[in-house]
Amino acid sequence: MNVSSMLNTHPEKLTIDMRVVAECVSACFECSFTCNSCADACLDEESPQELIQCIRLNMDCSDICAATGRVIGRLTHPHLTVVSMQLQACVKACQACAHECEKHAHHHEHCRICADACQRCEQACQSLLETLALNA
Amino acid sequence: MNVSSMLNTHPEKLTIDMRVVAECVSACFECSFTCNSCADACLDEESPQELIQCIRLNMDCSDICAATGRVIGRLTHPHLTVVSMQLQACVKACQACAHECEKHAHHHEHCRICADACQRCEQACQSLLETLALNA
Amino acid sequence: MNVSSMLNTHPEKLTIDMRVVAECVSACFECSFTCNSCADACLDEESPQELIQCIRLNMDCSDICAATGRVIGRLTHPHLTVVSMQLQACVKACQACAHECEKHAHHHEHCRICADACQRCEQACQSLLETLALNA
Amino acid sequence: MNVSSMLNTHPEKLTIDMRVVAECVSACFECSFTCNSCADACLDEESPQELIQCIRLNMDCSDICAATGRVIGRLTHPHLTVVSMQLQACVKACQACAHECEKHAHHHEHCRICADACQRCEQACQSLLETLALNA
């Protein structure tokens, strides 16, 4: 996804580092896809009962990342408190989902990839939160 | 929407007051619909330029309420930190959107109704946060 | 959800019966919630393996109904082909999910309620499709 | 987004060409992001009134692509009729949005990029529909 080239066409010229915004948007959409597919892959494993907590967190994290990616992907008059709180909620969802997926990473490659996507997204949200705080 | 009757069929029997959960789920879905339709109605008004901030917050609030309603509507092994953080993000989005919609409530009935839906959702999320804290 | 009162505030005065639109929006949001919660309830049952097809269809139907409800809830310059195709996709998703949920309705009350929500949504989408065809 | 490596970890081994599935999922998520950001960029232009039809189609296309990407990203027991109908709805949404965005592509670079993303997504959905028909 060429997120940067799209965001750079926006008429609003924000003063923050757009590379941090683009990385966060990209990581949110990737994590939303990966969690959605990890829930579905877990469901199809031989013992889905052992993966119920993982499926549940996958579904939550997928929904929360999707909403966060859409909010961050809008640059028109962003409301800093709303944006920051949603980023913080996304950080927690990614942390929890990564923690759970890591438990199954040795048995299920989809959980290993999903834990990576959650960690990338968590870090991208943290970086954007720091960037927003410096510019506030 | 008969949210209570659906949630009461869930095999997991939680110890918290399910009426508070049901009211929160119902308010999140209603607010997501109302904000989505308010953004669209604002766009069709004669002077959409005056409503840009409102449209922006409507879209954010609609996405955040949709994700929150889906997360709260799941009762299987809820992750308290994830749930609580998303509820807090939803409170902020509803507060910001209600505040903006109220400015236009005298001219646009859709903004008046939307401000009401946001306030109902904010209160429902606050009540659920209090209930979760008491049971933690 | 008071969908009618919100839709009636829209500046665009469409010539179609707004009660049919409101019932469709309301049914889509209710079905999206119900399918999301049914997937989660199925996951928590003693034998989730028997419900994998049901969980899969619940998740698809929840996503498709959510998108359809958002599209139908917008009244500004609707694109008839886009709206009609999405309504037809929603009809198929609701039929498939209702059919699957009915198989488990005797054992799981959430599947019985979910089948009802899918049938209500299917009929509401069909009614709106007929109304749109008459006005085209 | 490394969609292929994630989809290839799924326990269900489908007989269809997974590169076609991966391209479709990737294009749906990219188009959903791009349309969401194009609506927001249009809203911030000097004359948003001239872009109302574009904003409206952007929002519909973003929602429809998001739902389609989630459905296609699930490989567990896919329901062919549901999947195919949603792909067809996505084709129509992408065609309509690309057509509208092209009208503004000379004035607004975000509309040019968005038209490209819609065309890529339309073609990816068409390719998957053809692949599914050959395997049915």
Side-chain angles (χ1 to χ4, degrees):
Chain A
M1 290 210 303
N2 205 337
V3 174
S4 284
S5 61
M6 182 64 189
L7 294 182
N8 286 331
T9 64
H10 200 286
E12 188 132 340
K13 295 306 168 204
L14 299 177
T15 54
I16 63 169
D17 187 341
M18 285 305 293
R19 289 168 300 183
V20 181
V21 180
E23 165 61 11
C24 188
V25 170
S26 178
C28 283
F29 276 85
E30 184 185 50
C31 196
S32 183
F33 151 71
T34 310
C35 287
N36 178 63
S37 288
C38 191
D40 176 70
C42 288
L43 189 67
D44 205 33
E45 294 289 353
E46 282 182 26
S47 304
Q49 293 100 319
E50 298 165 14
L51 297 163
I52 288 176
Q53 178 75 16
C54 191
I55 295 172
R56 160 71 208 241
L57 278 168
N58 279 156
M59 294 197 286
D60 286 0
C61 196
S62 182
D63 290 337
I64 289 170
C65 288
T68 307
R70 288 168 71 96
V71 169
I72 304 301
R74 297 182 186 117
L75 305 179
T76 301
H77 303 322
H79 189 291
L80 276 187
T81 312
V82 172
V83 168
S84 298
M85 285 298 293
Q86 187 56 40
L87 282 168
Q88 288 175 51
C90 196
V91 164
K92 290 295 173 194
C94 289
Q95 284 175 340
C97 193
H99 182 73
E100 183 63 32
C101 274
E102 274 169 0
K103 296 181 192 170
H104 315 287
H106 292 291
H107 293 87
H108 303 302
E109 180 71 0
H110 48 81
C111 287
R112 192 193 62 72
I113 293 177
C114 193
D116 284 353
C118 290
Q119 280 159 2
R120 179 192 164 199
C121 190
E122 180 205 336
Q123 287 162 16
C125 290
Q126 294 277 25
S127 295
L128 184 51
L129 278 165
E130 288 162 24
T131 302
L132 292 173
L134 285 173
N135 283 267
Chain B
M1 290 211 300
N2 205 341
V3 173
S4 284
S5 60
M6 182 65 190
L7 295 181
N8 286 332
T9 64
H10 200 285
E12 188 130 340
K13 295 307 168 203
L14 300 178
T15 54
I16 63 167
D17 187 341
M18 286 305 292
R19 289 169 300 183
V20 181
V21 181
E23 165 62 11
C24 189
V25 171
S26 177
C28 283
F29 275 85
E30 183 185 50
C31 196
S32 183
F33 151 71
T34 310
C35 286
N36 179 63
S37 288
C38 191
D40 176 70
C42 287
L43 188 66
D44 206 33
E45 294 289 352
E46 281 182 26
S47 303
Q49 294 99 321
E50 298 164 14
L51 297 163
I52 288 175
Q53 178 74 17
C54 191
I55 295 171
R56 160 72 208 242
L57 279 168
N58 279 154
M59 293 196 288
D60 286 1
C61 196
S62 181
D63 290 337
I64 290 171
C65 288
T68 308
R70 287 167 71 96
V71 170
I72 304 300
R74 297 182 185 118
L75 305 179
T76 301
H77 302 323
H79 189 292
L80 275 189
T81 311
V82 172
V83 168
S84 297
M85 285 298 293
Q86 187 56 41
L87 283 168
Q88 288 174 51
C90 198
V91 164
K92 291 295 175 195
C94 289
Q95 282 174 340
C97 193
H99 182 72
E100 183 63 33
C101 274
E102 273 170 0
K103 295 181 192 170
H104 314 286
H106 291 291
H107 293 87
H108 302 303
E109 180 72 359
H110 48 81
C111 288
R112 192 192 62 72
I113 293 177
C114 192
D116 283 353
C118 290
Q119 281 160 1
R120 179 191 163 198
C121 190
E122 180 205 335
Q123 287 163 15
C125 290
Q126 294 277 26
S127 295
L128 184 52
L129 279 165
E130 288 163 24
T131 302
L132 293 172
L134 285 173
N135 283 266
Chain C
M1 290 209 303
N2 205 337
V3 174
S4 284
S5 61
M6 182 63 189
L7 294 182
N8 286 331
T9 64
H10 200 286
E12 188 131 341
K13 295 306 168 204
L14 300 177
T15 53
I16 63 168
D17 187 341
M18 287 305 292
R19 288 168 300 182
V20 180
V21 180
E23 165 62 12
C24 188
V25 171
S26 177
C28 283
F29 276 85
E30 184 185 51
C31 195
S32 182
F33 151 71
T34 310
C35 286
N36 179 63
S37 288
C38 191
D40 176 70
C42 287
L43 189 67
D44 206 32
E45 293 289 351
E46 282 182 26
S47 303
Q49 294 100 320
E50 298 164 15
L51 296 164
I52 288 176
Q53 177 76 17
C54 190
I55 295 171
R56 160 72 208 242
L57 278 168
N58 279 154
M59 294 196 287
D60 286 0
C61 195
S62 182
D63 290 337
I64 290 171
C65 288
T68 308
R70 287 168 73 95
V71 169
I72 304 300
R74 296 182 186 117
L75 305 180
T76 301
H77 302 324
H79 189 292
L80 277 188
T81 311
V82 172
V83 168
S84 297
M85 285 298 294
Q86 188 55 41
L87 283 169
Q88 288 174 51
C90 197
V91 164
K92 290 295 175 196
C94 289
Q95 283 175 341
C97 194
H99 181 73
E100 184 64 31
C101 274
E102 273 170 1
K103 296 180 190 169
H104 315 286
H106 291 292
H107 293 87
H108 303 304
E109 180 72 358
H110 46 82
C111 287
R112 192 192 62 72
I113 293 176
C114 193
D116 283 353
C118 290
Q119 281 160 2
R120 178 191 164 199
C121 191
E122 180 206 335
Q123 287 162 16
C125 291
Q126 294 276 26
S127 295
L128 184 51
L129 278 165
E130 288 162 24
T131 301
L132 292 173
L134 286 173
N135 283 266
Chain D
M1 290 210 301
N2 206 339
V3 174
S4 284
S5 60
M6 182 64 190
L7 295 181
N8 286 331
T9 64
H10 200 286
E12 187 131 339
K13 295 306 169 203
L14 299 177
T15 53
I16 63 167
D17 187 341
M18 286 306 291
R19 290 169 300 183
V20 180
V21 180
E23 165 62 11
C24 188
V25 171
S26 177
C28 283
F29 276 86
E30 184 186 49
C31 195
S32 183
F33 152 69
T34 309
C35 286
N36 179 62
S37 288
C38 191
D40 177 70
C42 287
L43 189 67
D44 207 33
E45 294 290 352
E46 281 182 26
S47 303
Q49 295 100 321
E50 298 164 14
L51 297 163
I52 289 176
Q53 178 75 15
C54 191
I55 296 171
R56 160 73 208 241
L57 278 167
N58 279 156
M59 293 197 287
D60 286 0
C61 196
S62 182
D63 290 337
I64 290 170
C65 288
T68 307
R70 288 167 72 97
V71 169
I72 304 300
R74 297 183 185 117
L75 305 179
T76 301
H77 303 324
H79 190 292
L80 276 188
T81 311
V82 172
V83 168
S84 297
M85 284 297 294
Q86 187 56 42
L87 282 168
Q88 288 175 50
C90 197
V91 164
K92 291 294 174 195
C94 290
Q95 283 175 340
C97 194
H99 182 73
E100 183 63 32
C101 275
E102 274 170 359
K103 295 180 191 170
H104 315 286
H106 292 292
H107 293 87
H108 302 303
E109 181 71 0
H110 47 81
C111 287
R112 192 192 62 72
I113 293 176
C114 192
D116 283 354
C118 290
Q119 280 159 3
R120 180 193 164 199
C121 190
E122 180 204 336
Q123 287 162 16
C125 291
Q126 294 276 26
S127 295
L128 184 50
L129 279 164
E130 287 162 25
T131 303
L132 293 173
L134 285 173
N135 283 266

